[in-house]
Each structure stands twice: as C-alpha cells, then as structure tokens.
Amino acid sequence: MGDAAVGDGVTAPRPILPRREGRKLDVEPAREAPVATLRTCISIMHSWFIRDEEIDDVLDRVMGQESALLTPEELDELLPRISSHLRQLIRIATMRVSGDWSPELSEVVIRSQRLDATPVPDDFPSARGYARRLAFLVGDVLEVLAVEQEAAQAEGRWSA
C-alpha cells in the first residue's frame, strides 16, 4: 500500500484503486490515405486560419504611410493576398454566427460580394483605389467579428 504525507509529518495509507482488466479491441487498422488527399485536407485546413501579422502587413502596405510609394508590381502581388484574407474573414464570420446575421454582418457580406464581382481595374490609380476598398472592407469585417465575438462570449456561445 502507498503512503501519503499528512500535515504533521505522519503518513497515512493511500487507497489502492482496482486495476482494470486489459481489453483487446478487435478493430481493423485504418488504411493510409493517399498523399494527394492529405495535401488537399491540409490545404483546406490551412485556409481556415488567419495570421494577424500577415493581415496587418498587407493593410499597412495598402493604407499606411508608405502606401503612396506602392509600385504596380507590389500592388499586383498584394491584391490576391488581400482578396484571400477578405474571403477567409467572411467565411469565418459567417460560420461563427448562429441564427440570424446581424445587420452589420449582412452589410459586409453584401459589400464583399459586390467588390468580388467587380474586376480589378487595369490602370494603376484605379487599381490602388480598388485595393484600398478591399483593405477598408477587411477592417470592417474584423470589426464585425470583434463585436460578434464579444456578444457570443457574453452569451457563452463560442470563443476564439
């Protein structure tokens, strides 16, 4: 029997718990998944996660103090990234909300769909304006997510 120390230095006996009998499960091992399937699953899961630093970097580059120095090549590189961030945030926002959407969420989803349906302008000044609209919309979605999260946490629905 094991002993446990008691406050005055005297040891008291510890109860011994009964041992379970070992059970052998009769299950078939899982087959290995094809590499292509695993890569697809990992790619899908990777798209569920947002890296705050990356969003901050893109927003800063498009709307920050140095945004006037943005070159057409940099803009061509930033536009797909900011569009991807916006789609991820919209997906996250719509998945987290249970029940009816708030008017704010509905509004940002509609704005996102409209902006997504608009082709990127060919000329640089208009394309930079398009990128700024995307960036402002990302900021709005982040704000809606923050408000929704506070409300959900107050109700005990979810947390992240």
Side-chain angles (χ1 to χ4, degrees):
M1 224 186 256
D3 293 329
V6 179
D8 61 359
V10 179
T11 58
R14 286 188 190 176
I16 295 180
L17 299 175
R19 292 190 99 192
R20 287 191 206 180
E21 289 184 31
R23 291 187 286 170
K24 183 176 179 178
L25 299 176
D26 189 25
V27 292
E28 182 178 315
R31 293 177 300 168
E32 288 188 23
V35 173
T37 302
L38 292 174
R39 285 188 180 140
T40 301
C41 290
I42 290 170
S43 174
I44 290 169
M45 286 189 291
H46 180 72
S47 72
W48 293 343
F49 298 99
I50 296 284
R51 289 183 241 15
D52 292 338
E53 316 85 43
E54 192 174 328
I55 290 177
D56 291 342
D57 291 344
V58 171
L59 294 180
D60 185 51
R61 196 67 191 112
V62 173
M63 298 186 326
Q65 292 179 345
E66 304 289 320
S67 65
L69 304 175
L70 199 61
T71 65
E73 294 78 23
E74 290 173 318
L75 186 62
D76 287 343
E77 187 262 328
L78 288 171
L79 277 169
R81 288 173 56 198
I82 199 165
S83 294
S84 173
H85 292 315
L86 179 60
R87 281 191 301 277
Q88 286 178 307
L89 288 168
I90 291 290
R91 183 177 33 237
I92 289 168
T94 56
M95 286 173 39
R96 284 188 176 176
V97 174
S98 62
D100 294 331
W101 289 3
S102 67
E104 295 82 10
L105 177 59
S106 297
E107 191 257 334
V108 295
V109 168
I110 290 168
R111 283 176 45 209
S112 173
Q113 290 170 339
R114 285 183 186 153
L115 198 53
D116 193 39
T118 306
V120 177
D122 292 331
D123 63 297
F124 179 67
S126 298
R128 188 168 54 197
Y130 180 84
R132 290 181 64 83
R133 287 196 310 271
L134 281 172
F136 280 119
L137 189 51
V138 165
D140 291 346
V141 175
L142 288 170
E143 188 175 318
V144 167
L145 273 171
V147 169
E148 292 285 338
Q149 182 174 355
E150 287 175 12
Q153 285 177 338
E155 295 173 12
R157 286 184 290 168
W158 55 264
S159 63

